[in-house]
Amino acid sequence: MSDAIVVEGVHKRYGVKRALDGLDLAVRRGTVHGVLGPNGAGKTTAVRVLTTLLRHDEGRAEVAGFDVRSDAAEVRRRIGLLGQHAAVDEELGGRQNLEMFGRLYHLGARRAGLRADELLERFGLADTGRKAVKQYSGGMRRRLDLAASLITDPEVLFLDEPTTGLDPRGRAEVWSAVRSLTVGGTTVLLTTQYLEEADQLADRISVIDDGRVIAEGTADRLKAMVGGDRIDVVVRGADRLAEAAALLGEGVTVDEDRRRLRAPAPDRMRALARTVRALEEAGIEAEDIAVRRPTLDEVFLSLTGAGGEAHAPMDTEVAA
């Protein structure tokens, strides 16, 4: 499987500020590749470079086998872009919007209409195709945006924070639409601030900070970087915390305010069974007990060094 996007040592400066500082990235064809990073990390700049909207200063960047600087026109023929803000006309109907995009791409009236019908059906909007977009819900509007970005059936689709501002239902609708894309062979580069979004959609994830990649891999691999599975116990009585912590063994941490204990669980099921048995034998009642894996939020905060404030509730933990 070849790479649909290749970025090697790309730099982009705005005066003395470095937006991209030696960015390296490889995205395999037919996959969803997530790009995570804090505000100002360079995510949107990278998308603008790869979609030929911005020229980089140094390095090499190719999309669908074409150089984004020397073959910009060829790149544009092969990509779609869904930005952070809606691009559709709210006064027009959904079908009218898609027909308009088709005509702008010189598809011709008949082909544009056929493509509009196909995309409305694909994204569950066929029944509302004649309704004015201003009457759409947020999720419907973003699905229409997504359909518009696919009007030319691009090889590579760039989604720059596509669900910003949507409620959970709207995000779920967009996620379902994105999942369907790779079935048809489309390559998707997704930038997002919703870590759950990357966890749900991305085959691989790159974490960027200060304009360069600082970690890359599958969600499971990134989670393993900040520690393995752990067992979490919430004890009903705060006066039994120290006793319960001793039962959990080495490496346990204690959050007194939440009455929570956390300990490594290298063998998930055995650790859970052993902990339940030990607490029962000691007569210690637990309000909650579970084996959990690190979240992408923890990976993100650990790798980008932004964990001070976000981890404040757990900063009071002390070794038992």
Side-chain angles (χ1 to χ4, degrees):
M1 186 184 295
S2 59
D3 292 327
I5 299 174
V6 178
V7 180
E8 295 178 347
V10 166
H11 292 256
K12 177 60 186 178
R13 302 178 185 85
Y14 295 102
V16 297
K17 176 179 172 54
R18 294 187 178 188
L20 298 177
D21 189 19
L23 182 70
D24 294 309
L25 191 66
V27 178
R28 305 187 83 179
R29 292 185 186 275
T31 65
V32 177
H33 194 106
V35 177
L36 298 177
N39 288 332
K43 302 188 300 296
T44 297
T45 298
V47 168
R48 289 175 61 82
V49 166
L50 292 171
T51 54
T52 75
L53 297 175
L54 189 66
R55 289 176 67 88
H56 56 287
D57 301 316
E58 302 173 35
R60 180 174 75 96
E62 292 185 357
V63 175
F66 294 93
D67 188 277
V68 300
R69 295 181 67 174
S70 59
D71 298 309
E74 291 296 333
V75 170
R76 287 193 288 270
R77 291 189 184 98
R78 289 164 172 79
I79 65 172
L81 171 63
L82 175 60
Q84 297 176 25
H85 305 290
V88 295
D89 188 323
E90 294 196 349
E91 298 299 324
L92 298 178
R95 190 178 192 277
Q96 289 176 308
N97 267 283
L98 296 182
E99 284 183 304
M100 178 182 67
F101 277 99
R103 298 297 295 273
L104 289 172
Y105 280 106
H106 309 293
L107 295 186
R110 183 174 181 278
R111 189 178 171 199
L114 290 173
R115 184 63 174 157
D117 289 336
E118 177 187 338
L119 289 169
L120 288 171
E121 183 69 33
R122 180 175 179 181
F123 291 109
L125 296 169
D127 293 340
T128 59
R130 299 189 182 280
K131 182 187 295 186
V133 173
K134 63 185 177 182
Q135 299 177 42
Y136 281 20
S137 68
M140 292 169 62
R141 195 169 306 183
R142 287 308 267 170
R143 278 186 283 151
L144 183 64
D145 271 330
L146 186 54
S149 69
L150 293 170
I151 200 76
T152 60
D153 196 19
E155 294 179 40
V156 183
L157 179 63
F158 294 88
L159 304 180
D160 190 14
E161 300 187 13
T163 61
T164 297
L166 294 183
D167 61 22
R169 176 176 292 181
R171 285 205 299 273
E173 291 175 358
V174 175
W175 291 355
S176 178
V178 172
R179 289 190 189 100
S180 71
L181 296 178
T182 54
V183 176
T186 305
T187 303
V188 178
L189 181 72
L190 166 75
T191 74
T192 180
Q193 293 190 37
Y194 296 113
L195 290 99
E196 182 187 6
E197 186 161 87
D199 206 355
Q200 288 280 336
L201 297 177
D203 299 293
R204 291 181 66 81
I205 298 169
S206 296
V207 182
I208 70 172
D209 199 14
D210 294 327
R212 56 184 176 272
V213 173
I214 59 174
E216 185 173 286
T218 63
D220 285 344
R221 180 178 178 275
L222 291 175
K223 291 173 186 177
M225 293 174 64
V226 297
D229 295 338
R230 62 183 185 239
I231 190 162
D232 283 357
V233 179
V234 177
V235 177
R236 185 173 296 280
D239 59 326
R240 307 294 300 271
L241 269 175
E243 185 181 353
L247 292 174
L248 265 64
E250 295 183 0
V252 65
T253 57
V254 181
D255 180 352
E256 294 184 1
D257 292 336
R258 299 182 180 183
R259 294 174 280 111
R260 176 186 291 168
L261 305 171
R262 179 172 293 171
D267 190 329
R268 292 169 57 87
M269 299 313 296
R270 287 186 180 180
L272 180 60
R274 184 171 56 249
T275 301
V276 170
R277 186 169 55 251
L279 292 173
E280 285 181 345
E281 290 175 353
I284 300 173
E285 189 174 357
E287 288 184 354
D288 181 51
I289 180 168
V291 178
R292 296 187 173 93
R293 288 180 172 168
T295 65
L296 275 183
D297 296 69
E298 292 168 313
V299 174
F300 180 84
L301 294 169
S302 173
L303 292 173
T304 61
E309 181 178 345
H311 280 312
M314 298 301 289
D315 284 346
T316 57
E317 295 176 350
V318 295

